[in-house]
Amino acid sequence: MLNALEVFTTVVVGVMVGVEFSVAFVMNRIFDALPEDSGQLGRAHGGRMLGAVMPVWYITSLVLVAVWAIAGRHRPGAGLVVTAGALLILSVVMSILLLVPINNRGKTWTPENRPDDWKEQMNRWDRFHYVRVAVIIAAFTLLVAALA
């Protein structure tokens, strides 16, 4: 049963990492290349859609890692799982303190109501997001190593 939990948790976290990686290095580049206001509208829509889904995904991933850490505390690799959990906690704290406030503003913007510095705010979000992606990739890597 623990093996199934380990694999399931690793897959859930891995898919989350893939989505966030895609946002950082694929979707936002596509949005930035769109003409006129399309990119800003795409980011606003993405902020609404992923802003609703990702908190559940992050918390679910964290809970699964915590259950794995507790259930497998006497197994080799337990320290890696605990460290991965700490990194996921860091990613949640980063999200709440740094990314969510910008996202909450950006998801309401239209070409008519966006602030003059909207591009700077989106660039700031992108920079924080790159760091968060690195953190969750590290967590995922530790979970994969713990399976070995």
Side-chain angles (χ1 to χ4, degrees):
M1 186 68 172
L2 183 56
N3 287 340
L5 171 67
E6 293 168 347
V7 170
F8 181 72
T9 301
T10 303
V11 170
V12 168
V13 173
V15 174
M16 180 182 74
V17 167
V19 168
E20 293 290 34
F21 185 90
S22 176
V23 167
F25 298 104
V26 178
M27 296 309 300
N28 285 345
R29 302 299 66 84
I30 291 170
F31 292 149
D32 291 344
L34 292 174
E36 300 175 12
D37 296 322
S38 300
Q40 185 264 308
L41 292 169
R43 280 183 176 258
H45 180 68
R48 288 187 299 274
M49 188 182 81
L50 291 173
V53 173
M54 296 314 288
V56 174
W57 209 337
Y58 273 80
I59 298 302
T60 300
S61 296
L62 183 55
V63 168
L64 287 169
V65 169
V67 171
W68 177 357
I70 293 166
R73 65 188 172 277
H74 300 299
R75 293 182 63 168
L80 297 173
V81 177
V82 170
T83 305
L87 289 172
L88 290 176
I89 290 170
L90 175 62
S91 74
V92 169
V93 170
M94 287 177 62
S95 297
I96 292 168
L97 296 178
L98 303 173
L99 290 121
V100 169
I102 298 169
N103 188 64
N104 284 344
R105 290 189 303 271
K107 69 184 183 180
T108 65
W109 295 338
T110 66
E112 294 78 32
N113 74 359
R114 66 186 178 211
D116 291 337
D117 71 338
W118 75 272
K119 285 185 180 180
E120 290 81 13
Q121 291 189 53
M122 289 296 95
N123 288 335
R124 185 172 183 222
W125 187 93
D126 288 345
R127 288 189 304 273
F128 290 143
H129 185 63
Y130 294 143
V131 174
R132 179 175 62 181
V133 168
V135 168
I136 64 174
I137 287 173
F140 175 67
T141 302
L142 291 171
L143 294 176
V144 171
L147 289 173

